[in-house]
Amino acid sequence: MTSLAPEHTVSASGLPRERGGWWHDFVCPTHGTELSHEGIPGPVPPTGGVRCPHGCRVDSEPVRGAWLVLSHQAWARRVRVLAHRAARTGSEADRTEAVALLAAYAEVYAEVTGGGEHERAQDWMLRGRLFHQALTDAIWSVSIGHAVWSLAESSPERAEALRPVLPVLDATAEAARAARDRLVADDRFTSNYTAWLNAAGRVCARAAALVRAGAAGAPAVSVADDEWLAGEHGQLAHALAATTRGGWEWEASTYYHGFVLRAYLLSLRGTVPADLPAGARDRLVAMADVLAGLSTDDGVLPAIHDGPYLRPALALEWTELCALADGFVADAGLDAVAARARREADAGAGDGDLLEDELRGLPGGWFAGPPLVVDRPARPVVSVDEEVGIAVVRAAGIHAVLDHGPHGAGHGHHDKLALHLYGRGTPWQPDPGQVPYGHPGWRDHYMSAVAHPVVRVDDGDPAEATGRLLDRDERSLTVEVRGDATFWYDGARALRRLVAGDGYLLDVVVASADRPRRLTLGLRPDVPLGVRLDGEVVRTVWGGAERLDGVHAAHAAGPAGPIPVRAAVRPGPGPADDPQRERAHVDWTAHGATRAVWVSVFQVGGGAEAGEAGVELVVDAAEIRVGRADGVVDVHPLPEEATDD
């Protein structure tokens, strides 16, 4: 990424004059890492191929097409920043530059698309015109449309200069409607694509109306009269259909949740938040609340299900979303997320354009009314969205995320009962995220059970599954998953119980099978991990900016009696931003078992030197005893598997 400082001048001659492909192909086929963004934005990919972080040069048609996607999107972002800044500051240089780029893009669009769909798109794709995917066209056109909107609205008497862009705006709105109609016909209205197609239609239609009205000014359109917003398949209907009552996007992916929320808020420019229908308005607030509740105190957003683990370009999207959310609802609770995202973006070579500041500084604001004011109850120790099966437990400096809900369709992972552990800002055992989809091997790995801290049966991947919440109170919850011939592991069950203890987090896992099986529970850290056998328990020390200490005990049984449970440490890949980053993986395995119990106590700092005993742990057939450093012994009953309904 490169900087667009106020004095920076960009040239329309640098626009790509080729169609883009699929950005997920922008991945090293050898290492599974995203390739370098060198030369972006620019007209053509680097000579000799694009570098990967491990030294490869990749020069293939899919990579070239993916590079062009990223370059087109970066140019669209640049013109948007110029237009917003011209509206905010009145800069003649910025306005001139933005108008020139838009006019040049109108020529490029007509030249390379010919008004038809992209003939190289894969058969499964919803075909775009400038790109393989209609979704990518929509994202690009939202930026182009908002640039025109800002220029035409801030200087309506000069809108005539923007008329060359009208064919692009009209064509992209028409394409968005056609693509949305195909999704509806295929019973895929709740797709995350729909949010961006509606955003493209609304933004481009409004921008075109402002240009055509010129100095006369385009009349305001109420939300109720705007088909893209309030129609049967408009944005507000989609927000209600594609999210849970608690506000989660139905796929329960952190990335796609933010993705659709950003589309919603971008499409609602110029509306008054308080005037939106109550149901949709409250659902959008709940969507922002989901992110605030999922994030750690230092702004880490766990990468649940599909989505990048760490990516500077995504960090820019989070900064934009946080600015939009602040305009929609007061005290959105995303300041830490925004600050961390800005640091991540700057660490990735620094974009420097600060789009989020331009959004906040637009004359009249992004929305036409003040942000909503809602009551903010105290954050609970245990919070659960039962529809998507995501629970967050906050215990003595530990931020634990327990995933037990539906698979998540095409963006889901085999992560039922996965426990992810974070500090304020330290990812001790994070959700590993996903690589760009163009690498099938690594994509399969990060979808798999072995990539997650879950129960595995006979070391294979389970069938898609959904767990259920058994019980919860103010400081604990218990969830389970049961298998059958088509669901999870046939003939197996597992439950996981979390308890926010006095100064620690207790994690109890019980697994059973209808015949002797290999039962395994994994740890998957993204920090240096020390593992030490200490008599009947195993002690772990998790590094990072904050130290986490763990003490672990396990026992198992088979038809003939007790079976040993052994902890094996072996090297494994780190999270998906770089599969080549080696980490210590730990698997506790019982061979030939019909029942296994694993108990862990986690404590920040441990109240002792690293590696020394912070708490004592004793587990027998009926109870768990946790001996704290102050001499108090907490007794917890060993949870029993629920009986059949």
Side-chain angles (χ1 to χ4, degrees):
M1 292 181 292
T2 54
S3 174
L4 181 59
E7 69 278 4
H8 190 80
T9 300
V10 294
S11 171
S13 64
L15 294 179
R17 305 194 78 86
E18 297 178 64
R19 283 174 158 176
W22 187 41
W23 96 260
H24 281 287
D25 283 325
F26 203 62
V27 61
C28 176
T30 300
H31 296 100
T33 51
E34 185 173 350
L35 300 172
S36 166
H37 285 225
E38 61 184 314
I40 295 174
V44 293
T47 301
V50 185
R51 290 183 298 107
C52 103
H54 297 283
C56 301
R57 280 275 182 184
V58 187
D59 191 9
S60 64
E61 188 60 34
V63 165
R64 179 185 177 88
W67 186 96
L68 289 166
V69 170
L70 297 173
S71 187
H72 277 298
Q73 298 286 19
W75 277 113
R77 180 182 172 97
R78 279 195 169 193
V79 72
R80 183 177 167 207
V81 171
L82 286 165
H84 290 342
R85 194 165 62 209
R88 178 176 62 85
T89 67
S91 167
E92 190 61 32
D94 284 342
R95 180 182 178 83
T96 299
E97 189 100 36
V99 171
L101 280 169
L102 288 166
Y105 244 134
E107 295 178 5
V108 169
Y109 189 88
E111 172 188 328
V112 305
T113 69
E117 293 181 343
H118 202 308
E119 71 282 354
R120 294 186 183 178
Q122 298 176 47
D123 289 342
W124 63 267
M125 293 177 173
L126 191 62
R127 289 174 181 262
R129 299 184 180 188
L130 185 57
F131 308 100
H132 281 187
Q133 294 252 53
L135 173 63
T136 319
D137 277 62
I139 296 168
W140 174 85
S141 63
V142 166
S143 288
I144 295 297
H146 275 307
V148 174
W149 185 330
S150 287
L151 294 170
E153 189 172 61
S154 62
S155 298
E157 72 284 355
R158 303 168 68 184
E160 187 69 24
L162 296 166
R163 282 192 167 273
V165 194
L166 285 174
V168 178
L169 299 176
D170 293 341
T172 52
E174 173 196 348
R177 186 181 299 280
R180 188 187 67 179
D181 289 347
R182 289 198 292 274
L183 289 177
V184 171
D186 292 341
D187 197 26
R188 296 172 58 200
F189 173 60
T190 58
S191 167
N192 59 73
Y193 285 35
T194 308
W196 280 95
L197 296 170
N198 278 329
R202 201 262 167 161
V203 169
C204 291
R206 182 60 181 167
L210 289 167
V211 171
R212 288 189 169 99
V221 179
S222 71
V223 170
D225 293 331
D226 192 322
E227 189 273 336
W228 290 106
L229 295 180
E232 180 184 4
H233 299 120
Q235 206 68 304
L236 302 181
H238 187 265
L240 292 174
T243 63
T244 69
R245 291 184 298 274
W248 263 101
E249 195 266 344
W250 69 273
E251 295 165 295
S253 157
T254 310
Y255 171 72
Y256 286 102
H257 181 94
F259 186 67
V260 298
L261 178 57
R262 188 162 60 97
Y264 294 155
L265 298 180
L266 284 168
S267 66
L268 288 169
R269 182 178 181 178
T271 66
V272 178
D275 290 348
L276 296 177
R281 179 190 66 214
D282 294 345
R283 190 64 58 88
L284 294 177
V285 172
M287 291 187 75
D289 288 346
V290 161
L291 295 174
L294 181 65
S295 63
T296 72
D297 290 346
D298 197 37
V300 177
L301 276 171
I304 299 170
H305 295 177
D306 267 3
Y309 176 73
L310 184 67
R311 184 173 186 253
L314 173 58
L316 291 176
E317 296 176 12
W318 287 123
T319 63
E320 178 188 17
L321 173 56
C322 292
L324 294 168
D326 283 343
F328 189 79
V329 57
D331 300 322
L334 297 174
D335 290 351
V337 173
R340 188 177 188 90
R342 174 46 62 183
R343 293 195 299 270
E344 291 175 359
D346 290 343
D351 182 85
D353 63 26
L354 297 177
L355 172 61
E356 64 269 28
D357 290 346
E358 301 300 338
L359 297 178
R360 291 188 172 97
L362 279 176
W366 189 261
F367 300 99
L372 299 166
V373 177
V374 299
D375 291 334
R376 297 292 184 196
R379 178 175 288 177
V381 173
V382 176
S383 59
V384 187
D385 187 304
E386 295 187 27
E387 289 181 79
V388 297
I390 302 295
V392 177
V393 178
R394 299 168 184 84
I398 299 170
H399 187 96
V401 179
L402 178 58
D403 184 350
H404 61 282
H407 185 75
H411 294 301
H413 292 180
H414 294 298
D415 56 0
K416 293 313 96 183
L417 275 56
L419 176 65
H420 304 294
L421 301 172
Y422 304 82
R424 286 183 56 87
T426 301
W428 292 310
Q429 181 165 263
D431 193 302
Q434 183 57 277
V435 298
Y437 301 158
H439 198 295
W442 279 116
R443 187 183 184 196
D444 285 349
H445 168 78
Y446 286 107
M447 292 173 65
S448 72
V450 75
H452 294 86
V454 295
V455 170
R456 307 196 308 278
V457 178
D458 293 337
D459 248 357
D461 270 341
E464 293 183 10
T466 299
R468 64 171 180 161
L469 179 69
L470 294 182
D471 63 64
R472 62 176 292 194
D473 57 33
E474 293 181 353
R475 300 189 67 82
S476 68
L477 80 159
T478 306
V479 299
E480 75 156 5
V481 61
R482 305 185 188 188
D484 59 29
T486 61
F487 199 77
W488 202 55
Y489 294 103
D490 186 20
R493 289 186 184 181
L495 68 77
R496 194 158 207 160
R497 179 168 176 78
L498 296 183
V499 180
D502 189 355
Y504 60 86
L505 175 71
L506 174 65
D507 171 37
V508 185
V509 181
V510 181
S512 63
D514 60 359
R515 59 191 184 276
R517 313 284 287 272
R518 184 166 64 252
L519 303 179
T520 301
L521 178 69
L523 297 181
R524 295 295 181 263
D526 187 34
V527 293
L529 183 73
V531 182
R532 176 170 60 87
L533 184 63
D534 183 13
E536 297 298 315
V537 301
V538 172
R539 296 190 182 275
T540 55
V541 179
W542 307 61
E546 306 153 85
R547 195 183 96 223
L548 180 70
D549 292 339
V551 57
H552 316 267
H555 60 76
I563 291 175
V565 184
R566 294 186 173 92
V569 184
R570 57 177 60 90
D577 61 311
D578 187 358
Q580 307 308 312
R581 183 168 67 246
E582 189 175 280
R583 292 302 190 195
H585 287 190
V586 181
D587 284 334
W588 267 278
T589 301
H591 294 266
T594 53
R595 190 173 189 271
V597 176
W598 300 269
V599 179
S600 299
V601 176
F602 296 102
Q603 192 173 31
V604 176
E609 294 298 320
E612 294 184 3
V615 297
E616 297 298 326
L617 175 62
V618 177
V619 181
D620 61 30
E623 65 183 20
I624 301 162
R625 295 186 293 279
V626 180
R628 304 192 327 233
D630 59 7
V632 175
V633 177
D634 293 337
V635 179
H636 301 272
L638 195 66
E640 292 293 331
E641 294 164 299
T643 58
D644 291 324
D645 294 331

